[in-house]
Amino acid sequence: MTLKLFYSPGACSLAPHIVLEEIGTEWEPVRISLKEGAQRRPEYLAINPKGRVPALATDQGVITENPAILAFLAQTFPQANIAPVSDPFGMAQVNSFNGFLSSSLHPAFAHAFRPERFGEGEEAARAMRSRAPVAVAEYLQLAEEKLGGNEWIHGDYTVSDPYLFVFTGWAPRLSVDMTAFPKLQSHRERMMQRPAVKAALAREESATG
Ligand SMILES: N[C@@H](CCC(=O)N[C@@H](CS)C(=O)NCC(=O)O)C(=O)O
């Protein structure tokens, strides 16, 4: 299977980036700089007409949307043990949490990062920027409670953990006080110890990776 991940440093594409490192299969990273607006260039729109990262090119075609990419990787590489792929209820839990991240937590950040997408004018933008950290904190509280006394969000390590890691990394950009979420902070520290996380972050931070 030939796999190509289109990612941008620091974006939500970090989740499948880490997962590909966990799997250890051969794959090709393709950097799409959001800073430079590369996601809106015709050559990338031909890959993902939505103009967003991540996109995963496979032998069968392109997959977009984090929850779909993460489930595909877990199911394609069951030996990597990154989701309970043969347990429908367990898999539903993973997809449910990933759906929550993609449809609630991520858009809460988007209201601060890209307010022009949701309302017109400076007043609307100001209102969204001021409300976004409150919504983010509410959603992080739900994740904090779900984590409970476990090391990983579903007990065992799954694709949900790198996906959550993306957003706990973004929270300080909205001045969300992460000391209010000690379990999520420990989760972040555990994630940072993983060789796959170190490798993905090193690639994203390098000028050429
Ligand atoms: N629902 C999509 C969201 C993807 C998304 O919004 N990606 C952001 C980066 S985190 C992006 O590409 N933004 C570029 C833009 O909005 O122009 C997913 O979960 O994959």
Side-chain angles (χ1 to χ4, degrees):
M1 161 98 53
T2 318
L3 293 173
K4 240 190 228 187
L5 178 71
F6 297 84
Y7 78 98
S8 186
C12 58
S13 45
L14 176 62
H17 190 170
I18 292 172
V19 166
L20 282 160
E21 290 291 344
E22 298 279 7
I23 292 167
T25 186
E26 258 187 49
W27 63 286
E28 188 188 329
V30 184
R31 184 181 285 237
I32 300 295
S33 169
L34 297 186
K35 265 195 206 142
E36 291 166 16
Q39 77 276 25
R40 288 187 290 272
R41 291 188 189 135
E43 54 273 29
Y44 186 66
L45 291 174
I47 291 154
N48 182 3
K50 290 176 279 193
R52 307 282 172 92
V53 293
L56 184 73
T58 77
D59 291 347
Q60 293 164 283
V62 173
I63 306 172
T64 60
E65 303 297 326
N66 267 303
I69 294 172
L70 296 174
F72 172 84
L73 289 174
Q75 288 173 304
T76 305
F77 299 97
Q79 70 282 6
N81 273 323
I82 42 169
V85 290
S86 53
D87 167 10
F89 185 80
M91 206 53 209
Q93 296 302 310
V94 171
N95 289 329
S96 167
F97 189 77
N98 292 350
F100 158 71
L101 295 181
S102 124
S103 67
S104 297
L105 186 52
H106 189 168
F109 280 100
H111 279 75
F113 294 160
R114 297 188 187 270
E116 69 285 356
R117 203 165 263 166
F118 303 97
E120 273 176 29
E122 198 38 50
E123 202 179 316
R126 248 197 316 273
M128 282 184 266
R129 282 196 204 99
S130 106
R131 171 69 198 168
V134 179
V136 164
E138 282 172 12
Y139 294 134
L140 288 179
Q141 181 58 34
L142 290 173
E144 171 92 355
E145 285 162 22
K146 171 136 184 70
L147 190 56
N150 291 331
E151 288 203 344
W152 307 115
I153 204 78
H154 301 293
D156 292 333
Y157 182 81
T158 67
V159 292
S160 293
D161 293 293
Y163 197 13
L164 175 61
F165 178 76
V166 168
F167 303 111
T168 54
W170 287 0
R173 287 166 62 187
L174 298 196
S175 303
V176 172
D177 175 16
M178 285 305 286
T179 61
F181 308 107
K183 292 175 177 142
L184 293 182
Q185 278 192 308
S186 307
H187 179 267
R188 260 197 93 64
E189 283 157 21
R190 274 191 293 281
M191 285 296 296
M192 297 289 275
Q193 298 308 313
R194 296 184 75 88
V197 174
K198 290 182 187 169
L201 290 177
R203 179 179 291 106
E204 297 210 352
E205 280 156 19
S206 81
T208 52

